[in-house]
Amino acid sequence: MSQDPMDFEWSYWVEWGREHILWLLAGHLLVSQTSRLLVEKYKPWCLMVYGMAACWLLLGIKGFAVILLHAAISFAVAQFQLSLLTWLCSLILLATLRIPAVEETKRKWYDTENEYYLLLFTVSVRCLFCTSFSLEYCWHAPTQKSSHSFPWMLAYVFYYPTFHNGPLVNFDDFSKQMRRQEAINVKTNLSILIVGIIRIFFWWCLAELMIHLMYIHALYSSALPLESASYWALGGLALAQVLFFYVKYLILYGVPGLLLQMDGLKPPALPCCVSLMHSFTKMWRSFDVGLHRFLVRYIYVPMGGSQSSLLGTLLSTALTFAFVSYWHGGQSYLWYWGALNWLGVIVENGTKRMLSISLIQDLI
């Protein structure tokens, strides 16, 4: 039975995973466990070298050079210890990904469009990692700068399980956990690995069943069946699509999350089931937990967040969603998506504030 070919993201990562990425992740696991057993002190550097080699292998010398250049520029700008300057640098580096002449040049480096897209996705995610490191560098005292050196930045940026698609782990969490040296328990690690593989295999089978039997994305790509469908059918299609999106990210984040556990790190929680969601706020907090932590720590709270005035809260929330829309590509439909999410969060929080007023509570 043929599968629904219209979900680009699933088809893309499954193809890359089968051909290259799963094998490279297995290599990372081997290097990680060997270094934990034999040279625990040098584990971050062993993993850094492996990540660089894997990057070179998949993206070529030019792709490797682009990521190294982004890291070097971010580190150089961070030396000024100005958060605003760091953010400006990050936004400019992201903007370079959308300059037509630069895009065309990068396309010429590769034989296929898929290889170019792998570079594009990887650099986009690396930009967030570079931003996290640089802002932590700006905020820490001079006595702590030794733990924020350029080699540590490279160990963080080239950490392979999160390299191509995340999930996002903030630098301070990564650094503290990677420095922590613990005796490896082979039996415990093996049980974590086996249980994790069984769960991921189950999710993958479920995703493949959905993509082979439901044809959700193919239906969405044609206006005719949508126009003839009832409102109940359209609601069912919408629910089916977000449920597939949820299962897809259980796998895309579950595989690197399992490797993070094997490395002795605590991965961000996996996405919460969308069927249990009833609010915009909960969706943003519990679907992509790593991205949510990044946005809260580096944008929402520094801009004042919920502790500021009403106008300040509106502004900090708006800037957070504006960055999300810009980072995802900045197309017009993404700005509409970001604006609608911002509006949903504002309405929910506004309603909660109103309901917390004692007079309204007495009326209720």
Side-chain angles (χ1 to χ4, degrees):
M1 184 183 292
S2 62
Q3 70 174 41
D4 180 353
M6 300 307 293
D7 189 273
F8 169 78
E9 188 176 37
W10 177 252
S11 305
Y12 183 84
W13 289 118
V14 166
E15 184 182 338
W16 271 106
R18 284 173 177 164
E19 291 183 6
H20 299 288
I21 294 175
L22 283 178
W23 299 105
L24 288 171
L25 289 173
H28 169 93
L29 180 63
L30 182 63
V31 171
S32 168
Q33 298 309 298
T34 304
S35 59
R36 284 187 80 182
L37 279 169
L38 303 178
V39 283
E40 175 76 11
K41 185 179 178 181
Y42 301 103
K43 184 182 74 171
W45 317 122
C46 295
L47 297 182
M48 178 190 75
V49 171
Y50 181 85
M52 287 179 160
C55 172
W56 194 319
L57 179 68
L58 277 193
L59 300 176
I61 180 63
K62 291 177 180 176
F64 171 78
V66 166
I67 294 170
L68 193 60
L69 180 63
H70 275 230
I73 291 170
S74 297
F75 186 78
V77 171
Q79 303 307 301
F80 293 98
Q81 294 187 265
L82 297 170
S83 299
L84 188 60
L85 192 61
T86 289
W87 266 116
L88 185 62
C89 171
S90 297
L91 292 173
I92 290 171
L93 289 174
L94 273 174
T96 60
L97 302 180
R98 292 157 201 148
I99 298 171
V102 176
E103 284 184 315
E104 196 56 39
T105 301
K106 289 177 181 175
R107 274 190 169 92
K108 290 176 182 176
W109 295 348
Y110 301 106
D111 297 327
T112 65
E113 196 79 353
N114 275 1
E115 290 174 291
Y116 163 71
Y117 279 127
L118 186 65
L119 174 66
L120 183 64
F121 297 149
T122 304
V123 175
S124 297
V125 176
R126 293 307 93 200
C127 277
L128 296 185
F129 278 69
C130 289
T131 303
S132 175
F133 175 90
S134 299
L135 288 171
E136 296 293 350
Y137 186 96
C138 292
W139 296 345
H140 281 74
T143 53
Q144 297 171 296
K145 288 293 182 275
S146 60
S147 61
H148 293 71
S149 61
F150 189 59
W152 266 106
M153 183 184 196
L154 294 181
Y156 175 58
V157 169
F158 285 97
Y159 180 68
Y160 195 69
T162 62
F163 192 66
H164 298 294
N165 196 42
L168 188 56
V169 180
N170 292 341
F171 176 73
D172 260 23
D173 295 332
F174 174 85
S175 173
K176 286 171 187 172
Q177 293 174 42
M178 190 62 82
R179 288 169 187 278
R180 189 176 59 220
Q181 295 186 17
E182 296 176 339
I184 184 171
N185 187 320
V186 177
K187 189 177 178 180
T188 303
N189 265 19
L190 190 60
S191 64
I192 290 171
L193 181 64
I194 292 169
V195 171
I197 288 173
I198 292 169
R199 290 174 70 196
I200 291 164
F201 181 71
F202 170 75
W203 295 330
W204 179 79
C205 289
L206 182 58
E208 285 293 316
L209 275 173
M210 293 175 81
I211 209 84
H212 277 83
L213 299 178
M214 298 179 74
Y215 291 86
I216 313 155
H217 305 90
L219 286 168
Y220 268 110
S221 65
S222 176
L224 190 62
L226 296 179
E227 288 171 354
S228 60
S230 67
Y231 290 125
W232 282 104
L234 289 173
L237 277 171
L239 179 60
Q241 188 176 44
V242 294
L243 284 171
F244 177 76
F245 190 77
Y246 159 66
V247 174
K248 175 169 65 178
Y249 269 86
L250 283 179
I251 300 162
L252 293 181
Y253 283 174
V255 173
L258 177 59
L259 289 172
L260 280 160
Q261 282 184 281
M262 297 298 293
D263 290 345
L265 309 180
K266 185 180 179 182
L270 289 174
C272 198
C273 180
V274 291
S275 295
L276 303 176
M277 304 289 182
H278 62 274
S279 74
F280 283 94
T281 308
K282 187 178 179 183
M283 176 66 84
W284 278 98
R285 283 179 180 166
S286 55
F287 192 85
D288 192 336
V289 175
L291 180 61
H292 175 259
R293 288 175 183 166
F294 177 93
L295 296 171
V296 169
R297 180 164 177 78
Y298 302 121
I299 303 177
Y300 186 70
V301 170
M303 290 303 298
S306 58
Q307 302 304 313
S308 61
S309 63
L310 177 62
L311 188 62
T313 303
L314 290 172
L315 178 63
S316 53
T317 310
L319 284 173
T320 302
F321 282 110
F323 176 75
V324 171
S325 301
Y326 181 71
W327 178 70
H328 275 89
Q331 290 89 349
S332 58
Y333 71 89
L334 288 168
W335 292 112
Y336 296 136
W337 168 72
L340 288 170
N341 275 278
W342 172 76
L343 188 62
V345 168
I346 291 303
V347 169
E348 282 178 1
N349 289 334
T351 305
K352 283 179 184 176
R353 288 191 180 190
M354 284 179 61
L355 293 175
S356 66
I357 298 169
S358 57
L359 177 63
I360 293 177
Q361 285 186 340
D362 291 341
L363 287 171
I364 292 172

